[in-house]
């Protein structure tokens, strides 16, 4: 498979109309990128996420790329998922751990996600099977266009991209009840399928 040396200089594959995708497609999206890319330059040490050996197991590890990213909230939504505490997970045995990156849709969050994706794509991250990036809205209402565009560019460097709307109820209650929004329903369905698919890395 031929892969671009820099996934951020080409337009990401976005598919068809998102409503049609939600209603007509049962399978999760295929990965745009499936592993580190030859020629990618490692980020500076200060921009890299650390790694930590994880006790126990998880069907999916949720890694927030910055504080307040929502990694614990997302992990609570997904059966068998665990938050990593903003570290790449390292496991003692078995296949490479499956990882989902999570960030907020503000500039700080998106920039941290880009650094994490650069770390992974350059091969500077531990051996993981990266499933994709989830970008959570950072405020009520529509995300400003410059941030939406930046999220799309950064998402081009991830195997898959999910953009998720603001959930007002999370401000008022500590609940793991999945939001009713169709974006979250599709996201949960996709991750459930991906978490139970046999690993593609060793």
């Amino acid at each position: 498979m031929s892969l671009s040396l820099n996934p951020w200089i080409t337009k990401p594959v976005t598919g068809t109309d998102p409503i049609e995708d939600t209603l007509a497609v049962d399978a999760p999206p295929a990965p745009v990128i499936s592993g580190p890319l030859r020629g990618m330059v490692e980020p500076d040490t200060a921009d890299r996420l650390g790694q930590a050996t994880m006790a126990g197991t998880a069907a999916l590890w949720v890694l927030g790329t910055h504080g307040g990213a929502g990694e614990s909230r997302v992990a609570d939504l997904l059966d068998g998922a665990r938050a990593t505490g903003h570290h790449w997970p390292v496991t003692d045995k078995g296949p490479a751990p499956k990882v989902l990156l999570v960030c907020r849709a503000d500039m700080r969050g998106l920039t941290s996600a880009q650094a994490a994706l650069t770390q992974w794509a350059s091969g500077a991250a531990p051996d993981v099977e990266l499933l994709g990036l989830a970008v959570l809205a950072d405020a009520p209402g529509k995300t400003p266009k410059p941030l939406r565009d930046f999220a799309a560019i950064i998402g081009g460097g991830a195997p898959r991209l999910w953009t998720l709307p603001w959930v007002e109820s999370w401000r008022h209650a500590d609940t793991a009840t999945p939001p009713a929004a169709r974006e979250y329903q599709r996201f949960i369905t996709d991750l459930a399928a991906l978490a139970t698919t046999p690993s593609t890395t060793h």
Side-chain angles (χ1 to χ4, degrees):
M1 176 182 231
S2 177
L3 296 174
S4 167
L5 293 180
N6 188 338
W8 290 288
I9 63 173
T10 56
K11 184 177 180 181
V13 177
T14 57
T16 57
D17 180 79
I19 295 177
E20 291 181 5
D21 285 348
T22 302
L23 298 177
V25 181
D26 293 327
V32 175
I33 298 168
S34 58
L37 305 172
R38 185 178 304 162
M40 284 293 292
V41 178
E42 296 179 9
D44 292 337
T45 303
D47 295 327
R48 299 181 193 179
L49 292 170
Q51 61 186 53
T53 301
M54 299 294 167
T57 61
L60 174 67
W61 297 96
V62 181
L63 194 173
T65 61
H66 60 98
E71 69 170 29
S72 296
R73 182 71 74 178
V74 170
D76 286 344
L77 296 176
L78 306 169
D79 288 339
R82 290 175 56 192
T84 70
H86 312 292
H87 290 84
W88 293 105
V90 176
T91 53
D92 292 332
K93 56 185 177 180
K98 294 186 177 187
V99 173
L100 171 72
L101 295 180
V102 178
C103 75
R104 290 288 176 178
D106 57 11
M107 186 57 68
R108 172 177 174 251
L110 294 171
T111 301
S112 72
Q114 186 177 40
L117 286 167
T118 302
Q119 184 180 0
W120 169 74
S122 69
D127 182 25
V128 301
E129 182 180 353
L130 184 62
L131 300 184
L133 169 67
V135 179
L136 279 65
D138 67 314
K142 193 171 185 179
T143 301
K145 186 177 186 303
L147 292 174
R148 294 200 313 270
D149 291 345
F150 191 32
I153 291 169
I154 290 169
R160 302 168 184 86
L161 173 65
W162 295 271
T163 54
L164 302 170
W166 178 259
V167 180
E168 184 64 24
S169 63
W170 284 350
R171 303 179 83 179
H172 307 286
D174 184 14
T175 175
T177 302
R182 70 169 183 266
E183 294 92 341
Y184 276 94
Q185 296 300 316
R186 179 58 195 265
F187 170 68
I188 291 168
T189 299
D190 286 348
L191 266 299
L194 292 167
T196 56
T197 300
S199 295
T200 58
T201 59
H202 302 283

